[in-house]
Amino acid sequence: MPGAMDGKREETVRNKCAACFRQFNKVEHLVEHMRISFHSVHEPKCGVCQKHCRSFESLREHLIGPLPKVECARVFSVRGCSFCLNIFENTSALRYHRDSCQYSRNSGLASRISRISLQNSTGDSQAVALACTMVGGGNDGSIDLCARVCLIGEDENIIFHAYIKPSILVTNYRYEKTGIRPEHLRDAMPIQQAKRRIQDILCNGEPVWKIRQRGGRAKILVGVGLDHDLACLGVEYPSFMLRDIENYPPLMKTSKLSNSLKYLSQAYLGYDIQNGIQDPYEDSVAAMRLYLKMRSQPHPRDYISGSGEARNRDNFPAWRQRELERMSPEALLELSGSDYYCWCLDSYK
């Protein structure tokens, strides 16, 4: 009887996912789990037990949530950074790291005046961040119209900033949120001119139809709700060049819904934004900082597992079922790939 129990326990351990540690009674259930979970080395991972999590919010719950893993929570409380969720060797290393991990709201904004250089040059920036301020149009003021736009580089310098004159009548200036009055738009830049300026900055001398994901001169565009902002501006840009904070799986809620930029700034940058009138410069800085933090994740340089192609490529086909069932959990994890494009790969371009 004890021998049978030991055999069953051994079988369960063998059927344990090497990424999320979920256990299965049968090996075929483990294979099916790997087929649909898209685990990869690009997922957020606990620095104590090495468990893979789908998002940083899931990792946060694992470490400091209402029901955390006890040992992981104990170690994290002493040597863990509450912003990037990494674990460090000692408290001295943690203190040194925290100075660079926690941003200040004023670090970019205090020198804002000296950073305004309205020019098309983006310098060495591989990416630019965009944020818009919307006023209302239509009979009830519910149609979003772009009235102010800001583009910054990776150094947080302003590349382009302007008030925009919408093509239709503004019926609600939404002053409490936007701070925009009619006089701001009286002599504002026509939206068609702003559209051309933004398109020129993004394409950086390349025709839109020639832009490619790797190796070109065109800029990566960072922001929140980029599809909506670009549609309001009338700007067309390839989707593979967009890095939308709102839709990036590691930054989403455990329910797979989007987190607000305000929350993400508090949780991962360490400062508050959007306290009162919306400032597109402040929003674009927060978006750029989050993007750079995600891009700098120390993942293995593995384009195949992090490119998002696993969604379209079946690494666990039914005809290999018997072969897959003979593999170890670690070998199954090596075979698996992410279903989203990991931004760390941008640093290898």
Side-chain angles (χ1 to χ4, degrees):
M1 200 63 179
M5 289 295 292
D6 289 343
K8 186 171 182 62
R9 193 178 299 114
E10 201 173 298
E11 181 69 18
T12 304
V13 171
R14 170 174 161 72
N15 299 339
K16 180 180 179 180
C17 175
C20 66
F21 302 160
R22 186 176 172 185
Q23 296 185 355
F24 300 89
N25 292 327
K26 296 183 179 180
V27 67
E28 54 262 37
H29 296 163
L30 171 62
V31 172
E32 180 60 24
H33 166 74
M34 296 303 295
R35 183 177 285 123
I36 63 175
S37 63
F38 299 105
H39 288 309
S40 79
V41 293
H42 296 271
E43 290 178 308
K45 188 165 63 172
C46 175
V48 182
C49 68
Q50 305 303 308
K51 178 183 177 180
H52 290 230
C53 297
R54 181 64 180 175
S55 67
F56 283 100
E57 286 301 290
S58 178
L59 177 58
R60 188 180 295 276
E61 289 188 4
H62 172 78
L63 293 169
I64 54 177
L67 296 170
K69 185 73 177 291
V70 176
E71 178 61 18
C72 298
R74 184 188 66 78
V75 175
F76 185 82
S77 66
V78 178
R79 296 189 279 117
C81 174
S82 58
F83 301 113
C84 66
L85 306 180
N86 286 326
I87 309 286
F88 294 86
E89 292 183 4
N90 51 58
T91 53
S92 297
L94 173 61
R95 282 195 300 270
Y96 179 80
H97 160 81
R98 205 169 260 158
D99 290 337
S100 61
C101 195
Q102 182 175 9
Y103 289 84
S104 166
R105 183 185 182 191
N106 295 324
S107 63
L109 300 173
S111 57
R112 176 176 174 178
I113 300 302
S114 64
R115 292 181 174 213
I116 297 179
S117 55
L118 301 182
Q119 54 185 2
N120 285 338
S121 174
T122 56
D124 296 328
S125 283
Q126 180 188 1
V128 297
L130 176 143
C132 298
T133 301
M134 303 290 176
V135 294
N139 292 335
D140 58 356
S142 62
I143 299 174
D144 284 342
L145 305 173
C146 181
R148 191 179 174 195
V149 64
C150 183
L151 268 171
I152 67 164
E154 292 181 23
D155 56 5
E156 299 178 12
N157 285 337
I158 295 176
I159 301 166
F160 176 66
H161 173 269
Y163 284 98
I164 308 295
K165 192 168 187 177
S167 56
I168 66 173
L169 181 68
V170 177
T171 56
N172 184 356
Y173 285 88
R174 304 173 183 173
Y175 175 76
E176 293 77 11
K177 183 178 179 181
T178 67
I180 295 176
R181 296 183 183 275
E183 53 266 29
H184 289 124
L185 305 185
R186 193 167 294 130
D187 298 316
M189 181 180 291
I191 191 166
Q192 288 301 321
Q193 183 181 345
K195 171 185 173 180
R196 287 193 296 270
R197 290 284 296 276
I198 293 168
Q199 195 92 54
D200 289 344
I201 292 168
L202 296 180
C203 293
N204 197 28
E206 280 190 305
V208 174
W209 59 271
K210 285 186 68 176
I211 293 175
R212 55 192 186 279
Q213 188 165 2
R214 303 170 71 82
R217 296 195 307 271
K219 302 297 181 182
I220 290 169
L221 181 59
V222 179
V224 179
L226 284 173
D227 287 339
H228 176 259
D229 286 353
L230 293 178
C232 290
L233 288 164
V235 173
E236 294 183 5
Y237 206 56
S239 60
F240 57 78
M241 296 297 287
L242 304 183
R243 304 292 180 265
D244 199 325
I245 304 295
E246 190 175 69
N247 300 324
Y248 190 50
L251 291 176
M252 297 176 79
K253 298 178 182 179
T254 53
S255 60
K256 298 184 180 180
L257 297 175
S258 300
N259 275 307
S260 68
L261 184 62
K262 181 179 178 68
Y263 169 78
L264 292 174
S265 179
Q266 290 173 333
Y268 299 103
L269 301 179
Y271 69 98
D272 289 331
I273 62 170
Q274 299 176 350
N275 295 319
I277 290 176
Q278 180 188 4
D279 184 346
Y281 174 76
E282 184 179 64
D283 289 355
S284 57
V285 167
M288 179 60 80
R289 289 173 174 178
L290 286 165
Y291 166 73
L292 293 178
K293 186 167 274 197
M294 294 298 104
R295 193 178 74 180
S296 63
Q297 293 294 308
H299 298 156
R301 186 171 179 173
D302 186 354
Y303 182 80
I304 293 175
S305 71
S307 65
E309 294 175 1
R311 182 186 292 276
N312 303 317
R313 187 183 64 246
D314 187 4
N315 286 353
F316 299 89
W319 60 268
R320 290 185 63 188
Q321 185 69 23
R322 289 194 177 183
E323 177 190 353
L324 293 168
E325 289 177 6
R326 288 194 294 269
M327 288 184 178
S328 67
E330 292 73 22
L332 290 173
L333 179 57
E334 287 183 13
L335 197 60
S336 184
S338 174
D339 60 341
Y340 63 87
Y341 177 84
C342 182
W343 292 351
C344 77
L345 298 176
D346 288 344
S347 61
Y348 303 132
K349 291 185 177 182

